Amino acid sequence: MANLTHLTIAQALAGLKKKDFTAVELVEAHIKAAEAARHLNCFITETFDAARAQAKEADARYQKGNPLPLDGIPIAMKDLFCTEGVQTTAASAILKGFKPPYESTVSAQMKRDGTITIGKANLDEFAMGSSNTTSAYGNVINPWKAKGSNKDLVPGGSSGGSAAAVAARISMGATGTDTGGSIRQPAAFCGITGIKPTYGRCSRWGIVAFASSLDQAGPFGKTNEDCALLLRSMAGWDPKDSTSVNKPVPDYAATLNKGVKGLRVGVPKEYRIDGTSPEILALWDKGVQMMKDAGAEIVDVSLPHTKYALHAYYVVAPAECSSNLARYDGVRYGQRVEGDNLIDTYEKTRQQGFGKEVKRRILIGTYVLSAGYYDAYYNKARRVRKLIWNDFIEAYKKCDVLLTPCAPTPAFAIGENTQDPITMYLNDVFTIPASMAGMPGMSVPVGLSSDGLPLGLQLLGRPFEEETLFQAAQALEKAANFTAVPQNIVGKAA
Amino acid sequence: MSIDKNTVGKIARLARIKVSEEEKEVLSGQLSSILKMIEELNAVNTDGVEPLTSVVQMQMYEREDKVTDGAIPDKILTNAPEQTAGFFVVPKVVE
């Protein structure tokens, strides 16, 4: 039997249909891998027993010849998605023990299609971070190590547990959310593929809110095709989220191999940002050549307000977070710390329940929204956001997709970039502009750094043109032929 | 502009987060440097630009005006830190 944890989702589905192996065997192989890799701290809550039971149900459907579209595929669910009866923490101490009495739309749709959640994946607290070091449940460790070093590296964030789980072959795919790069940057750090679809493509209902005008769910996979399969299940209109868009969900995987002949790939000059690793800039040039060789037309474009996206983001996201996180008051759910009176109870609950980064963002958000500053900061940032959006619309008149770096460096060591919050924020400099404009974006692993760490490139597309994005990613994936897997992972590929 | 300790105290109060004197000191430095970064936005000319409120250009969906959910008080109370007789319990507010 093939090494089950190294199969792609597409391969596993074919194997299950041919009865080469069972869903029970597939799920068990991943649970074993997860148990052997507990030191990576990918999961806040393991759901192995429920997964085993669901695998049996999946096998029964395969036996009867009527399996669901993703029947029996073990996945990791970011612990930001509310799951009925299963602890959902958002990696915060304030939600310790919270068991939602309802299921998020995205996780419900995946369940409808047969995926099996083997654990709730660790993340940065309330998805605020770029290194998965702000979780109240401990750091996630990247399964990759730099050549000749034993240092633990970050998996990126905020969806660090999800990305690490897929990279470590603990789960075949994973859900993430991306507010400013939280799917794309960890995918790049872990050598896997991840897509943040267009804002409005997936329902936000039941996802613990961080910044509602930016938050968007998306999948991680070992391959582009796996992401296409998962996104089809996650996406779709939901009357319970008024910002979700009522458009049909295409069969993304069916058109992957359309090719990129004649596709116009834009290369934005403003993404040559100081401080970017020369290796990443070289990889970018290589990526451009790969697309050209595959038949795409390369176009130079300009997105003049790129450098201000980060600044505008650090007004808009904290503003929305300060408002969204007001609900954690220790009254209706979550942890409570008793005080002398009601206000004191609120203040102590939030003092002890929230971590440092979350508090910083709530405070900045409260400041920029406070009387006298609202126009100078919040409205100014929203005006700049409009200019960023205009930039993309203009660029997409000249090209169909954009190709850029994904993160300025490969994965860094745990503890680095923590002295000054702004150094950490700079990690998202390439991913934030598309978030601000609501555009879809994905990260594709393209090469290794000189010390053996994965490097990714980012593809950005027009709103609701994920199909084109997947086609471009397929060409890039094929040309890059990225086959490296982390050292020391369980059950190496044969 | 910088955010001094006093201002940290004020916004922490607005945000209902207790902060110690030492935390105020650290936060004052950190929040000031974040604010300084944000203020680089002033270099952008935004005259005549409307603030962007939503990246999705669409008509808001309207549904029929009828009750679709409810009558689940037990479910709603399951995660309450303290509850009694179908109510959330909070410290005494009115003397």
Side-chain angles (χ1 to χ4, degrees), chain A residues 136-148:
Chain A
Y137 303 84
N139 300 332
V140 174
I141 295 168
N142 191 326
W144 292 84
K145 295 261 187 278
K147 243 186 247 161

Side-chain angles (χ1 to χ4, degrees), chain A residues 165-283:
Chain A
V166 175
R169 273 59 184 171
I170 287 171
S171 71
M172 305 201 86
T175 59
T177 60
D178 189 313
T179 303
S182 285
I183 290 174
R184 291 162 286 162
Q185 184 253 20
F189 277 17
C190 292
I192 58 168
T193 307
I195 178 167
K196 175 199 95 80
T198 314
Y199 181 83
R201 184 73 282 191
C202 294
S203 168
R204 291 182 296 107
W205 195 80
I207 300 174
V208 176
F210 160 17
S212 305
S213 79
L214 296 153
D215 296 345
Q216 185 57 208
F220 290 96
K222 291 186 194 106
T223 62
N224 185 46
E225 185 182 18
D226 285 1
C227 284
L229 290 168
L230 292 171
L231 182 61
R232 190 187 186 194
S233 174
M234 296 169 74
W237 179 63
D238 178 8
K240 286 184 284 201
D241 172 7
S242 63
T243 61
S244 81
V245 173
N246 194 354
K247 276 185 197 288
V249 181
D251 183 354
Y252 301 112
T255 57
L256 282 182
N257 289 304
K258 198 182 157 212
V260 292
K261 267 209 176 58
L263 187 83
R264 295 169 304 164
V265 177
V267 179
K269 62 173 190 222
E270 289 81 4
Y271 280 63
R272 273 189 196 278
I273 289 169
D274 286 348
T276 305
S277 139
E279 283 189 311
I280 285 170
L281 291 174
L283 186 84

Side-chain angles (χ1 to χ4, degrees), chain A residues 465-490:
Chain A
E465 289 190 12
E466 282 86 2
E467 271 178 297
T468 313
L469 206 49
F470 279 125
Q471 287 156 10
Q474 190 72 4
L476 189 61
E477 179 183 274
K478 201 173 157 208
N481 190 26
F482 184 90
T483 53
V485 289
Q487 313 84 333
N488 313 317
I489 64 160
V490 182

